Amino acid sequence: MAVDLEESMLVRVQLENFSIDEELDRVRSRSRRIGGIAMFLGTARDRSKGRDVSSMSFDHYEGMAQKKLKEIREQALRDFDIIEALVLHRHGPIEIGENIVLIIVGAEHRADAFKACQWCIDELKKITPIWKMETTPEGEVWVEEHP
């Protein structure tokens, strides 16, 4: 079975930054029935656990991280009354203020989109093999918790 190129673009782990507008258009173009879109954007902040953070970096288990993001998307499409979902996470060095993770969910109605979007980011934090290292004045720190 051939993989839909557009579908493969809906689940990605990538080094490069992304355009929120392009990703939003990607979801919106999947169906004219989409009437509600919920989005979560995670960005790099300069404080963590009371410490200053000057930069961060994300490492991932190549192949397995993508597989888990695909599973999250597929389960969201099965378990929630939604039309489409996009799950995107960056890896490598990320400067403060840059984008890290993006979840976009399209549904006929907003409540379904909100529920699925929150579930997707919570599940991503639980099961995806992606790890964050923060650079602080005390040195580099691996973040173990996923709030």
Side-chain angles (χ1 to χ4, degrees):
M1 180 171 147
V3 173
D4 177 353
L5 178 60
E6 185 62 23
E7 189 171 308
S8 71
M9 293 298 291
L10 294 167
V11 177
R12 304 191 317 271
V13 177
Q14 66 184 46
L15 185 62
E16 307 81 22
N17 201 355
F18 51 83
S19 162
I20 296 164
D21 288 337
E22 286 177 18
E23 302 306 330
L24 185 57
D25 287 345
R26 188 181 315 282
V27 170
R28 190 177 299 185
S29 71
R30 298 294 283 181
S31 174
R32 295 180 60 107
R33 283 187 313 136
I34 293 174
I37 296 175
M39 178 176 72
F40 173 80
L41 173 66
T43 60
R45 63 183 183 279
D46 67 356
R47 297 270 304 160
S48 178
K49 298 181 193 149
R51 292 187 298 235
D52 290 333
V53 175
S54 58
S55 67
M56 58 188 64
S57 182
F58 288 84
D59 199 359
H60 73 295
Y61 181 167
E62 180 68 36
M64 184 57 72
Q66 293 88 332
K67 179 181 178 201
K68 291 297 180 185
L69 295 183
K70 184 175 186 224
E71 288 173 9
I72 290 167
R73 176 179 175 268
E74 289 171 352
Q75 187 171 345
L77 289 167
R78 277 192 314 269
D79 294 353
F80 296 89
D81 191 11
I82 63 172
I83 297 167
E84 193 52 88
L86 175 141
V87 185
L88 170 58
H89 203 296
R90 291 182 60 203
H91 68 90
I94 295 178
E95 296 301 317
I96 300 306
E98 286 188 337
N99 299 328
I100 300 169
V101 59
L102 181 65
I103 309 285
I104 302 176
V105 176
E108 285 190 49
H109 305 286
R110 69 183 181 277
D112 298 315
F114 279 126
K115 282 187 257 183
C117 187
Q118 180 165 3
W119 179 85
C120 285
I121 189 61
D122 290 347
E123 194 68 7
L124 182 152
K125 294 281 192 171
K126 279 190 240 176
I127 71 166
T128 307
I130 296 176
W131 306 279
K132 176 169 65 170
M133 183 178 60
E134 296 173 337
T135 303
T136 72
E138 294 80 33
E140 295 179 337
V141 178
W142 285 102
V143 178
E144 294 185 26
E145 307 86 44
H146 298 289

